[in-house]
Amino acid sequence: MAVETSGRGPNPPRTKRCELIPLLQQAQKEEGFLSPSAIRRISRRLAVTENEIYGVATFYTQFRFRPPGRYNIKVCLGTACHVGGGQNFMDVMKTDKHIDHGETTTDGKFSLERVACLGCCALAPVVVVNDEVHGRMNRVTFMQLLETLDPSPEAALPAETEESPE
Amino acid sequence: MRHDAVEGKTKVLVCEGTGCVSSKSPEIRQAIQSAVRGKGLDGRVEVGLTGCHGFCEKGPIVVVEPEGLFYCRVKPEDAKDIAASLVDGAEPVKRLFYRHPVSKETVPYYRDIMFYKKQNRVILRNCGIINPEVIEDYEAQGGYEALRRVVGKMSPEDIVAEIRKAGLRGRGGAGFPAAVKWDVCRRQPGGEKFVICNADEGDPGAFMDRSILEADPHSVIEGLIILGYAVGARRGFIYCRAEYPLAVRRVRMALDQARRKNYLGEGILGAGFDFKVEVFEGAGAFVCGEETALIASIEGSRGMPRSRPPFPAEKGLWGKPTVINNVKTLASVPPIITRGAEWFSSIGTASSKGTAVFALTGKIANSGLVEVPMGAPLSTIIYEIGGGIPNKKNFKAVQTGGPSGGCLPAIQLELPIDFDSLQAAGSMMGSGGLVVMDEDTCIVDVARFFLSFTQSESCGKCVPCRVGTRHMVALLEKITTGKGTEEDLVKLENLALMVKQSSLCGLGQTAPNPVLTALRYFRGEFIAHVVDKRCPAAVCRDLVTFRIIPDRCTGCRQCVKVCPTGAITGPRSQPHSLDQSKCIKCRSCYEICRFDAVAGEAIIIVS
C-alpha cells in the first residue's frame, strides 16, 4: 500500500501508525497498565518514537501508566450519576482509603478512577469494581461494598495482580 | 412485529443489555432454563436472550411470548415461579408485573405499558425483540432486505436521492442533512474512500448508541454497508467507545455473521461490490466524537480536531473522502429504503423528519430509552412516557443535549422537540441525553458540573476553549462556594459568549450552553448564591448546614456510628446533637438516616 501522510506533519506509513492505539490497548489488557517496556516494544515495532507514543497515550483517559489495585474502582460521574450523588463515592475513597483519581492504595488493594459516563444512567449512581457494575448505590451501600471487598486487615485474598510500586 | 410463537412454542426472553447484565440477568436466564428443564417443559418452551428494552430502570426484564407478559426487577430466585407459570393453565407471576409508579396500577402486558405505548420505535424497532447474537433473528424482521434492494439494483445517485427525499438529518447532535454529506463524498473523483460509524457516545447521560449496538447491531451494520455502496467506499469503520465492552463484542460477532452470509466481504450478494468493516475502540476522549478528532484518533494520533473546511467528505481519513454518521442515523437507513422516503418524511416536523431517541434519566419515575416522533413536546416525554417526577417532588428543569445542551425550565415544557426549536431555546438536541431535575437539584451546581466536564475534556488546541472554560469553571466554583459577586455573573456571561463564538470545534462552541441557559432561565438561583449566599436547593456544600430535628430523632445512634469526625453525639434513645464546628458536610448521617435509621429523615440540610 502507498505511503501517505495525514496532513499532520511527517508520519510513518499509515498501515503501521493506525495500529498504535489498538496496540496500546492490547498491551494494557495484558499487563493492566502501560509499562515502559511495553512502550519501548511498540515504539520499535511501529518505528514511532517513545516520546510520540507517550504524547498520544497521555491524551486518552483509558491509558494508565501505573499498575491498578486488586480492586480497580471506577466511579461514574456522568450527569445522572452526578445528580444522584456520585461524588460521594470519591469522597468516601478519599476519607477512608486515602486515594484520589488515578491513585492506588499503598497496600495495592484499591485503585480509583473517575469516569465520565458508563452508559448505565438508568441505574445511577453507578460504581464499577473491576468489571462488575453496581447500580443504584448510595453512600451507605458503597461503604458496605468496600467492607465486603476488604473485610478485615488480614483478609486472605488471592493476589491477582502485582503489588503497586512505592 | 413481535416475536411470534413458532409452532405454538412459548418463548421466555431475558434482557441482556448492560443494565440488566449488571443485575445478574445471565444468571437469571440459566436459572429459568434449568427450572424449565426441571418441569419437563424444554420441548415447548424456549429460553433466549434479547438486547436492551430501554427500560433499564425496571431491569432485569423478562418477557414471555406469545402472550407478551412483561416481568420486571426479576431475581434468580423468581426463576422457579416463572417456569411453574408456563405449565398449561397456570397463572402468570403477578408479583413481577410492572406497576405504574404514580397510579400504582399493575400492568401485565408489554403492549399496555405507558412507557412503550406512547413511543414510535423506528430506530429502536428491533431492540428487545430480537436476539442480537443471531443474524437470522434480524433477517426474520426484514433485516438485510434493504441491502438486497440496493446492491446491484439501485444507483448511488438514487440512494442519495432517496435519503434526501426522506429528509434524514444526522442524529449525532447538530442535525446536518445526511444526504449532503453522502452526495459530496459520492461526487469526489474515484480512488479510495471511507465510511465511519460514529459510536463514540461520550455525552454523560446518554446511552442510546450503546443500547442499539447491543440490541440490534445488524441494523447499524446494514446502514453502514448501504452508505459505503452509495458513496463508493470499500472500507468502513465502527468507532466505538472502549467503555462499552458488550457493544464491542456484539458488533464483532455481528460482523462475523454478516461476512459468513456475504453481506460483507467480496462480491456482496453476487454484485460486484466489495466492502469490509473494522471495529476501532475509542480510548476515552470525549472530543473524539467530533469528526475530525475521530479521524485523527483512527490515524493513531492525539484526538484533536482541525479546522474545517476541507470537510471530511472531501478530505477525511488519510486525506481521502470520508463520511461519518452517527449510530442512529445509520440505523434509520434500512427502513427508509424498505418502507420508502415518503413514509419516513411523514413522521416528524417540517424541518426535522423521523424520530428522535432520548435517554431519559435523572429524577424521573421511568428512566430508559425513549423514541418519539420529532416535534413531540417535552411534557409528553416527561409526564406520559416518563411517568413524572417521583417522591412527590416538583419538576425544576430538564437538561437536553448533555454538555453541549442546556437546562430548560417548566415554561418550556410544551416546546416541541426537534433540532431547530431546541437550538432556538438555547439548548440543542445533542446526542439525545435528557436528564430530568427536581427541586433538590441546584442549577448552578449542574452548570459547574458540565463546565468542569468540558474543561477537562478540552483537547487544549485552541485558546478560547482551553483557557476560557477553565476561567468559567473558576468563576462557577467561586459562586458555588459563596464567594461570588454580581459582577462575576456578568463576567461569566461575557466569557461564555466569547468561548461560544471563537472556539475551533463543536466542543468549545457548545460548552457554554449549559451556563448560558442556566443564566437565562434560572438567574434568580445565581443571585441567591452571590447575594444571599444561599443555595436554594441545599446542594452546594459551603452554603448549607446539617441539622438534627430533635422531635424526629429516636436516638438510634446510626448517624453517630457513620460520622467520620465525631461531630454527632448523644446517648441511645435520646435526640442526638450535632457540633457544627466539627461537621465536614459529608452527608453520611443524612443518608444513613434516610435508608437505615429507625426514624428516617430526622436529619435535614438547610441553606
Side-chain angles (χ1 to χ4, degrees):
Chain A
M1 203 172 278
V3 175
E4 289 184 41
T5 61
S6 66
R8 271 165 241 275
N11 278 345
R14 75 183 199 200
T15 44
K16 275 184 145 188
R17 179 64 192 254
C18 71
E19 287 171 29
L20 176 56
I21 291 171
L23 282 173
L24 290 170
Q25 286 167 332
Q26 187 59 36
Q28 177 154 308
K29 205 178 244 173
E30 284 160 13
E31 284 191 89
F33 71 111
L34 294 177
S35 62
S37 62
I39 301 269
R40 209 169 309 129
R41 205 174 57 236
I42 294 169
S43 160
R44 284 205 204 105
R45 176 158 166 186
L46 300 182
V48 177
T49 64
E50 285 180 46
N51 261 350
E52 177 87 22
I53 292 178
Y54 278 109
V56 172
T58 51
F59 184 84
Y60 297 96
T61 52
Q62 186 188 15
F63 300 118
R64 66 175 100 76
F65 303 89
R66 269 188 281 172
R70 195 178 307 157
Y71 298 108
N72 186 38
I73 297 190
K74 290 184 196 154
V75 175
C76 180
L77 290 179
T79 321
C81 292
H82 173 79
V83 172
Q87 185 60 40
N88 281 326
F89 311 137
M90 297 295 290
D91 295 345
V92 169
M93 291 305 283
K94 210 180 275 178
T95 49
D96 286 13
K97 305 285 174 199
H98 314 290
I99 51 170
D100 206 341
H101 169 69
E103 295 176 350
T104 306
T105 51
T106 43
D107 61 0
K109 226 167 234 169
F110 293 100
S111 52
L112 180 64
E113 275 178 64
R114 177 182 63 221
V115 293
C117 183
L118 295 159
C120 309
C121 314
L123 305 175
V126 169
V127 171
V128 178
V129 181
N130 294 339
D131 279 323
E132 203 182 324
V133 180
H134 298 263
R136 303 190 188 98
M137 299 292 281
N138 62 51
R139 197 179 179 107
V140 176
T141 52
F142 181 66
M143 281 157 61
Q144 285 163 352
L145 174 68
L146 290 182
E147 182 62 28
T148 61
L149 299 176
D150 188 17
S152 58
E154 69 275 6
L157 286 157
E160 282 155 16
T161 51
E162 298 165 39
E163 292 291 302
S164 87
E166 286 109 46
Chain B
M1 285 291 284
R2 307 199 40 77
H3 243 309
D4 290 317
V6 185
E7 298 144 18
K9 260 202 174 183
T10 300
K11 284 193 174 189
V12 181
L13 302 168
V14 183
C15 176
E16 292 193 17
T18 291
C20 290
V21 167
S22 79
S23 333
K24 305 200 168 42
S25 69
E27 200 181 302
I28 294 167
R29 179 159 59 96
Q30 275 164 9
I32 295 177
Q33 207 138 31
S34 58
V36 161
R37 231 176 283 127
K39 290 256 173 226
L41 294 169
D42 35 344
R44 56 174 200 83
V45 176
E46 198 185 303
V47 183
L49 67 95
T50 65
C52 187
H53 290 260
F55 206 3
C56 314
E57 163 81 31
K58 292 284 174 280
I61 289 167
V62 174
V63 175
V64 181
E65 297 288 4
E67 298 92 329
L69 288 168
F70 187 90
Y71 294 138
C72 49
R73 298 238 170 140
V74 180
K75 294 193 186 67
E77 306 85 274
D78 298 319
K80 277 205 178 104
D81 292 341
I82 293 177
S85 78
L86 302 171
V87 178
D88 278 329
E91 291 270 300
V93 193
K94 288 183 180 144
R95 67 164 191 281
L96 298 175
F97 286 159
Y98 167 75
R99 282 182 73 166
H100 191 279
V102 180
S103 70
K104 304 290 174 204
E105 203 182 317
T106 51
V107 188
Y109 299 106
Y110 203 132
R111 57 182 174 272
D112 294 331
I113 296 171
M114 208 49 142
F115 179 76
Y116 291 109
K117 222 174 169 177
K118 291 269 170 177
Q119 297 195 38
N120 181 356
R121 293 194 153 196
V122 173
I123 296 167
L124 303 175
R125 60 195 178 276
N126 295 324
C127 295
I129 292 171
I130 64 168
N131 182 336
E133 300 185 354
V134 179
I135 190 170
E136 287 79 12
D137 263 32
Y138 178 65
E139 290 174 318
Q141 302 290 338
Y144 289 108
E145 176 58 31
L147 186 66
R148 282 177 202 284
R149 288 199 202 174
V150 161
V151 175
K153 297 192 179 100
M154 269 173 95
S155 71
E157 291 90 326
D158 290 348
I159 298 170
V160 173
E162 193 71 8
I163 297 297
R164 178 177 296 121
K165 208 158 76 182
L168 178 65
R169 292 173 68 174
R171 261 53 180 171
F176 189 79
V180 175
K181 272 189 192 177
W182 290 28
D183 205 34
V184 169
C185 184
R186 184 187 68 77
R187 285 167 188 277
Q188 298 300 309
E192 214 174 5
K193 292 176 187 176
F194 299 101
V195 290
I196 301 171
C197 169
N198 185 347
D200 190 42
E201 185 178 50
D203 275 31
F207 54 93
M208 301 75 62
D209 297 353
R210 171 183 69 71
S211 291
I212 295 164
L213 291 173
E214 282 175 11
D216 191 17
H218 286 287
S219 68
V220 182
I221 295 169
E222 188 179 4
L224 188 64
I225 306 170
I226 294 172
L227 165 62
Y229 179 76
V231 302
R234 291 160 55 113
R235 205 170 154 197
F237 293 87
I238 295 178
Y239 188 103
C240 185
R241 290 181 85 198
E243 288 91 332
Y244 292 172
L246 184 61
V248 170
R249 190 167 69 80
R250 293 238 166 102
V251 169
R252 290 218 162 101
M253 200 183 270
L255 289 172
D256 281 340
Q257 294 167 347
R259 266 191 289 270
R260 275 202 295 277
K261 293 235 172 188
N262 194 222
Y263 296 129
L264 278 173
E266 280 167 26
I268 292 172
L269 298 173
F273 170 54
D274 306 338
F275 189 66
K276 63 173 184 173
V277 176
E278 292 151 57
V279 177
F280 191 96
E281 285 183 56
F286 174 66
V287 70
C288 288
E290 200 278 342
E291 52 183 17
T292 59
L294 187 152
I295 287 172
S297 174
I298 294 183
E299 289 173 351
S301 301
R302 290 166 73 93
M304 289 181 165
R306 61 161 171 79
S307 56
R308 301 176 300 179
F311 289 93
E314 301 151 328
K315 264 180 185 295
L317 188 59
W318 295 301
K320 305 291 181 185
T322 305
V323 174
I324 301 171
N325 277 146
N326 173 266
V327 168
K328 294 171 291 290
T329 318
L330 292 172
S332 305
V333 170
I336 291 176
I337 302 289
T338 50
R339 302 180 72 173
E342 286 82 9
W343 161 77
F344 188 83
S345 64
S346 71
I347 308 168
T349 62
S351 60
S352 301
K353 301 296 186 192
T355 54
V357 185
F358 293 102
L360 183 63
T361 57
K363 305 288 178 73
I364 184 93
N366 297 327
S367 62
L369 280 195
V370 172
E371 182 170 1
V372 289
M374 292 273 186
L378 276 168
S379 59
T380 303
I381 299 176
I382 294 169
Y383 290 101
E384 292 178 30
I385 296 171
I389 319 296
N391 307 326
K392 301 192 175 110
K393 297 282 182 181
N394 288 316
F395 171 87
K396 181 171 193 173
V398 56
Q399 211 281 342
T400 75
S404 312
C407 287
L408 302 176
I411 49 158
Q412 295 279 15
L413 275 175
E414 291 314 311
L415 187 77
I417 309 201
D418 62 36
F419 291 109
D420 310 302
S421 61
L422 278 175
Q423 205 134 26
S427 184
M428 79 186 276
M429 190 81 112
S431 68
L434 210 64
V435 184
V436 180
M437 294 160 190
D438 67 7
E439 56 196 291
D440 290 343
T441 315
C442 171
I443 293 293
V444 186
D445 174 67
V446 169
R448 184 192 56 82
F449 163 75
F450 279 116
L451 243 293
S452 49
F453 174 81
T454 34
Q455 187 267 320
S456 67
E457 290 295 336
S458 169
C459 78
K461 184 168 180 172
C462 73
V463 178
C465 179
R466 184 182 68 231
V467 183
T469 55
R470 181 166 286 275
H471 280 283
M472 285 170 72
V473 170
L475 283 168
L476 285 161
E477 268 164 8
K478 210 174 150 193
I479 296 167
T480 52
T481 50
K483 294 176 195 129
T485 60
E486 276 182 276
E487 200 197 341
D488 288 330
L489 297 185
V490 180
K491 251 192 227 168
L492 182 64
E493 197 158 19
N494 288 340
L495 194 54
L497 289 169
M498 191 280 293
V499 172
K500 191 179 166 89
Q501 282 158 7
S502 51
S503 290
L504 172 65
C505 82
L507 191 151
Q509 288 159 8
T510 58
N513 285 347
V515 174
L516 288 167
T517 49
L519 280 166
R520 175 163 156 193
Y521 298 116
F522 298 94
R523 205 170 189 102
E525 219 169 307
F526 281 86
I527 301 286
H529 281 76
V530 296
V531 178
D532 312 331
K533 310 291 178 197
R534 356 185 333 263
C535 173
V539 171
C540 297
R541 202 176 267 197
D542 296 281
L543 303 177
V544 299
T545 45
F546 287 69
R547 276 197 203 135
I548 298 175
I549 302 180
D551 292 352
R552 288 194 205 152
C553 179
T554 58
C556 72
R557 289 188 63 86
Q558 291 280 1
C559 56
V560 178
K561 277 185 220 152
V562 294
C563 179
T565 58
I568 305 177
T569 48
R572 179 167 289 281
S573 308
Q574 301 274 323
H576 302 326
S577 55
L578 198 162
D579 181 352
Q580 296 294 344
S581 65
K582 286 188 187 162
C583 177
I584 55 164
K585 299 169 186 175
C586 71
R587 292 175 82 95
S588 293
C589 57
Y590 175 79
E591 271 167 39
I592 200 140
C593 193
R594 293 192 159 224
F595 294 103
D596 279 13
V598 183
E601 308 200 9
I603 296 175
I604 56 164
I605 308 175
V606 289
S607 181

mmCIF file of all heavy atoms in Angstrom, chain B residues 13-16 20 25 50 53-56 58-63 70-74 110 116:
data_model
loop_
_atom_site.group_PDB
_atom_site.id
_atom_site.type_symbol
_atom_site.label_atom_id
_atom_site.label_comp_id
_atom_site.label_asym_id
_atom_site.label_seq_id
_atom_site.Cartn_x
_atom_site.Cartn_y
_atom_site.Cartn_z
ATOM 1 N N LEU B 13 -37.916 -14.566 27.108
ATOM 2 C CA LEU B 13 -36.800 -13.758 26.635
ATOM 3 C C LEU B 13 -36.239 -12.910 27.765
ATOM 4 O O LEU B 13 -36.938 -12.093 28.358
ATOM 5 C CB LEU B 13 -37.274 -12.872 25.481
ATOM 6 C CG LEU B 13 -37.867 -13.641 24.290
ATOM 7 C CD1 LEU B 13 -38.573 -12.695 23.349
ATOM 8 C CD2 LEU B 13 -36.774 -14.403 23.567
ATOM 9 N N VAL B 14 -34.984 -13.147 28.051
ATOM 10 C CA VAL B 14 -34.335 -12.428 29.146
ATOM 11 C C VAL B 14 -33.490 -11.314 28.561
ATOM 12 O O VAL B 14 -32.710 -11.543 27.637
ATOM 13 C CB VAL B 14 -33.457 -13.400 29.963
ATOM 14 C CG1 VAL B 14 -32.826 -12.687 31.140
ATOM 15 C CG2 VAL B 14 -34.279 -14.585 30.432
ATOM 16 N N CYS B 15 -33.637 -10.110 29.087
ATOM 17 C CA CYS B 15 -32.869 -8.978 28.574
ATOM 18 C C CYS B 15 -31.411 -9.085 28.994
ATOM 19 O O CYS B 15 -31.113 -9.273 30.169
ATOM 20 C CB CYS B 15 -33.450 -7.659 29.072
ATOM 21 S SG CYS B 15 -32.462 -6.256 28.567
ATOM 22 N N GLU B 16 -30.511 -8.997 28.030
ATOM 23 C CA GLU B 16 -29.094 -8.976 28.362
ATOM 24 C C GLU B 16 -28.389 -7.762 27.776
ATOM 25 O O GLU B 16 -27.410 -7.861 27.041
ATOM 26 C CB GLU B 16 -28.425 -10.305 27.967
ATOM 27 C CG GLU B 16 -28.931 -11.436 28.850
ATOM 28 C CD GLU B 16 -28.126 -12.726 28.776
ATOM 29 O OE1 GLU B 16 -26.983 -12.706 28.303
ATOM 30 O OE2 GLU B 16 -28.668 -13.752 29.226
ATOM 31 N N CYS B 20 -29.219 -4.715 32.496
ATOM 32 C CA CYS B 20 -29.761 -5.933 33.084
ATOM 33 C C CYS B 20 -28.658 -6.931 33.438
ATOM 34 O O CYS B 20 -28.750 -7.639 34.428
ATOM 35 C CB CYS B 20 -30.801 -6.566 32.164
ATOM 36 S SG CYS B 20 -32.318 -5.596 32.069
ATOM 37 N N SER B 25 -28.649 -10.703 34.904
ATOM 38 C CA SER B 25 -29.597 -11.365 34.021
ATOM 39 C C SER B 25 -29.083 -12.659 33.384
ATOM 40 O O SER B 25 -29.879 -13.569 33.166
ATOM 41 C CB SER B 25 -30.150 -10.401 32.975
ATOM 42 O OG SER B 25 -29.179 -10.046 32.060
ATOM 43 N N THR B 50 -32.377 -11.242 24.701
ATOM 44 C CA THR B 50 -32.561 -10.107 23.800
ATOM 45 C C THR B 50 -31.602 -9.015 24.234
ATOM 46 O O THR B 50 -30.965 -9.124 25.275
ATOM 47 C CB THR B 50 -33.987 -9.513 23.881
ATOM 48 O OG1 THR B 50 -34.170 -8.978 25.197
ATOM 49 C CG2 THR B 50 -35.056 -10.545 23.576
ATOM 50 N N HIS B 53 -34.161 -3.427 26.270
ATOM 51 C CA HIS B 53 -35.527 -2.967 26.028
ATOM 52 C C HIS B 53 -35.625 -1.462 26.221
ATOM 53 O O HIS B 53 -36.677 -0.867 26.019
ATOM 54 C CB HIS B 53 -36.501 -3.618 27.017
ATOM 55 C CG HIS B 53 -36.707 -5.075 26.787
ATOM 56 N ND1 HIS B 53 -37.784 -5.565 26.136
ATOM 57 C CD2 HIS B 53 -35.947 -6.145 27.110
ATOM 58 C CE1 HIS B 53 -37.702 -6.893 26.081
ATOM 59 N NE2 HIS B 53 -36.589 -7.263 26.665
ATOM 60 N N GLY B 54 -34.572 -0.885 26.747
ATOM 61 C CA GLY B 54 -34.590 0.549 27.000
ATOM 62 C C GLY B 54 -35.315 0.919 28.277
ATOM 63 O O GLY B 54 -35.616 2.070 28.507
ATOM 64 N N PHE B 55 -35.630 -0.076 29.084
ATOM 65 C CA PHE B 55 -36.350 0.236 30.321
ATOM 66 C C PHE B 55 -35.505 -0.250 31.502
ATOM 67 O O PHE B 55 -35.986 -0.952 32.385
ATOM 68 C CB PHE B 55 -37.711 -0.466 30.287
ATOM 69 C CG PHE B 55 -38.777 0.199 31.107
ATOM 70 C CD1 PHE B 55 -38.538 1.377 31.782
ATOM 71 C CD2 PHE B 55 -40.043 -0.354 31.201
ATOM 72 C CE1 PHE B 55 -39.536 1.989 32.527
ATOM 73 C CE2 PHE B 55 -41.048 0.239 31.937
ATOM 74 C CZ PHE B 55 -40.796 1.417 32.605
ATOM 75 N N CYS B 56 -34.220 0.128 31.448
ATOM 76 C CA CYS B 56 -33.210 -0.402 32.358
ATOM 77 C C CYS B 56 -33.581 -0.200 33.826
ATOM 78 O O CYS B 56 -33.217 -0.975 34.686
ATOM 79 C CB CYS B 56 -31.872 0.255 32.076
ATOM 80 S SG CYS B 56 -31.484 0.332 30.340
ATOM 81 N N LYS B 58 -36.228 -0.717 35.233
ATOM 82 C CA LYS B 58 -37.049 -1.803 35.759
ATOM 83 C C LYS B 58 -36.372 -3.161 35.591
ATOM 84 O O LYS B 58 -36.990 -4.192 35.766
ATOM 85 C CB LYS B 58 -38.412 -1.827 35.053
ATOM 86 C CG LYS B 58 -39.281 -0.624 35.378
ATOM 87 C CD LYS B 58 -39.878 -0.739 36.756
ATOM 88 C CE LYS B 58 -40.626 0.505 37.170
ATOM 89 N NZ LYS B 58 -39.731 1.587 37.651
ATOM 90 N N GLY B 59 -35.138 -3.160 35.183
ATOM 91 C CA GLY B 59 -34.456 -4.405 34.883
ATOM 92 C C GLY B 59 -34.083 -5.191 36.119
ATOM 93 O O GLY B 59 -34.131 -4.647 37.224
ATOM 94 N N PRO B 60 -33.722 -6.440 35.983
ATOM 95 C CA PRO B 60 -33.745 -7.241 34.757
ATOM 96 C C PRO B 60 -35.173 -7.543 34.277
ATOM 97 O O PRO B 60 -36.036 -7.802 35.083
ATOM 98 C CB PRO B 60 -33.044 -8.538 35.142
ATOM 99 C CG PRO B 60 -32.385 -8.261 36.444
ATOM 100 C CD PRO B 60 -33.142 -7.180 37.107
ATOM 101 N N ILE B 61 -35.318 -7.495 32.959
ATOM 102 C CA ILE B 61 -36.622 -7.673 32.347
ATOM 103 C C ILE B 61 -36.719 -9.050 31.690
ATOM 104 O O ILE B 61 -35.777 -9.506 31.037
ATOM 105 C CB ILE B 61 -36.852 -6.558 31.297
ATOM 106 C CG1 ILE B 61 -37.065 -5.235 32.025
ATOM 107 C CG2 ILE B 61 -38.050 -6.885 30.393
ATOM 108 C CD1 ILE B 61 -36.988 -4.031 31.137
ATOM 109 N N VAL B 62 -37.854 -9.693 31.896
ATOM 110 C CA VAL B 62 -38.109 -10.977 31.248
ATOM 111 C C VAL B 62 -39.461 -10.876 30.549
ATOM 112 O O VAL B 62 -40.426 -10.412 31.147
ATOM 113 C CB VAL B 62 -38.132 -12.133 32.286
ATOM 114 C CG1 VAL B 62 -38.553 -13.440 31.624
ATOM 115 C CG2 VAL B 62 -36.773 -12.290 32.942
ATOM 116 N N VAL B 63 -39.496 -11.248 29.267
ATOM 117 C CA VAL B 63 -40.739 -11.176 28.506
ATOM 118 C C VAL B 63 -41.146 -12.590 28.111
ATOM 119 O O VAL B 63 -40.306 -13.392 27.713
ATOM 120 C CB VAL B 63 -40.560 -10.292 27.253
ATOM 121 C CG1 VAL B 63 -41.808 -10.314 26.387
ATOM 122 C CG2 VAL B 63 -40.234 -8.857 27.661
ATOM 123 N N PHE B 70 -44.873 -9.098 30.664
ATOM 124 C CA PHE B 70 -43.684 -8.295 30.939
ATOM 125 C C PHE B 70 -43.374 -8.377 32.426
ATOM 126 O O PHE B 70 -44.115 -7.885 33.261
ATOM 127 C CB PHE B 70 -43.988 -6.846 30.532
ATOM 128 C CG PHE B 70 -42.829 -5.913 30.604
ATOM 129 C CD1 PHE B 70 -42.001 -5.734 29.512
ATOM 130 C CD2 PHE B 70 -42.566 -5.192 31.761
ATOM 131 C CE1 PHE B 70 -40.930 -4.847 29.577
ATOM 132 C CE2 PHE B 70 -41.497 -4.308 31.828
ATOM 133 C CZ PHE B 70 -40.680 -4.133 30.722
ATOM 134 N N TYR B 71 -42.287 -9.055 32.750
ATOM 135 C CA TYR B 71 -41.867 -9.156 34.153
ATOM 136 C C TYR B 71 -40.695 -8.229 34.398
ATOM 137 O O TYR B 71 -39.765 -8.176 33.605
ATOM 138 C CB TYR B 71 -41.433 -10.591 34.476
ATOM 139 C CG TYR B 71 -42.541 -11.622 34.413
ATOM 140 C CD1 TYR B 71 -42.316 -12.865 33.839
ATOM 141 C CD2 TYR B 71 -43.801 -11.351 34.950
ATOM 142 C CE1 TYR B 71 -43.325 -13.821 33.795
ATOM 143 C CE2 TYR B 71 -44.812 -12.298 34.905
ATOM 144 C CZ TYR B 71 -44.573 -13.533 34.318
ATOM 145 O OH TYR B 71 -45.548 -14.469 34.272
ATOM 146 N N CYS B 72 -40.733 -7.490 35.492
ATOM 147 C CA CYS B 72 -39.595 -6.610 35.761
ATOM 148 C C CYS B 72 -38.986 -6.836 37.134
ATOM 149 O O CYS B 72 -39.587 -7.459 37.998
ATOM 150 C CB CYS B 72 -39.965 -5.153 35.544
ATOM 151 S SG CYS B 72 -41.461 -4.644 36.321
ATOM 152 N N ARG B 73 -37.773 -6.288 37.292
ATOM 153 C CA ARG B 73 -36.962 -6.492 38.506
ATOM 154 C C ARG B 73 -36.957 -7.957 38.929
ATOM 155 O O ARG B 73 -37.200 -8.298 40.087
ATOM 156 C CB ARG B 73 -37.460 -5.593 39.639
ATOM 157 C CG ARG B 73 -37.325 -4.111 39.293
ATOM 158 C CD ARG B 73 -36.480 -3.380 40.297
ATOM 159 N NE ARG B 73 -36.197 -2.034 39.800
ATOM 160 C CZ ARG B 73 -36.199 -0.944 40.550
ATOM 161 N NH1 ARG B 73 -36.459 -1.005 41.827
ATOM 162 N NH2 ARG B 73 -35.908 0.217 40.029
ATOM 163 N N VAL B 74 -36.689 -8.826 37.958
ATOM 164 C CA VAL B 74 -36.674 -10.266 38.206
ATOM 165 C C VAL B 74 -35.377 -10.643 38.922
ATOM 166 O O VAL B 74 -34.323 -10.054 38.668
ATOM 167 C CB VAL B 74 -36.783 -11.019 36.861
ATOM 168 C CG1 VAL B 74 -36.762 -12.520 37.076
ATOM 169 C CG2 VAL B 74 -38.061 -10.615 36.138
ATOM 170 N N TYR B 110 -46.716 -6.124 28.004
ATOM 171 C CA TYR B 110 -45.746 -5.224 27.401
ATOM 172 C C TYR B 110 -46.465 -4.084 26.668
ATOM 173 O O TYR B 110 -46.221 -2.909 26.874
ATOM 174 C CB TYR B 110 -44.948 -6.054 26.378
ATOM 175 C CG TYR B 110 -43.564 -5.562 26.003
ATOM 176 C CD1 TYR B 110 -42.481 -6.433 25.997
ATOM 177 C CD2 TYR B 110 -43.357 -4.254 25.642
ATOM 178 C CE1 TYR B 110 -41.211 -6.011 25.623
ATOM 179 C CE2 TYR B 110 -42.084 -3.837 25.266
ATOM 180 C CZ TYR B 110 -41.025 -4.717 25.249
ATOM 181 O OH TYR B 110 -39.780 -4.298 24.884
ATOM 182 N N TYR B 116 -44.082 2.392 26.838
ATOM 183 C CA TYR B 116 -43.896 1.960 25.461
ATOM 184 C C TYR B 116 -45.007 2.436 24.537
ATOM 185 O O TYR B 116 -44.798 2.714 23.369
ATOM 186 C CB TYR B 116 -43.831 0.430 25.389
ATOM 187 C CG TYR B 116 -42.592 -0.144 26.017
ATOM 188 C CD1 TYR B 116 -42.648 -0.848 27.201
ATOM 189 C CD2 TYR B 116 -41.349 0.062 25.426
ATOM 190 C CE1 TYR B 116 -41.498 -1.362 27.786
ATOM 191 C CE2 TYR B 116 -40.202 -0.455 26.001
ATOM 192 C CZ TYR B 116 -40.281 -1.162 27.175
ATOM 193 O OH TYR B 116 -39.146 -1.655 27.746
#
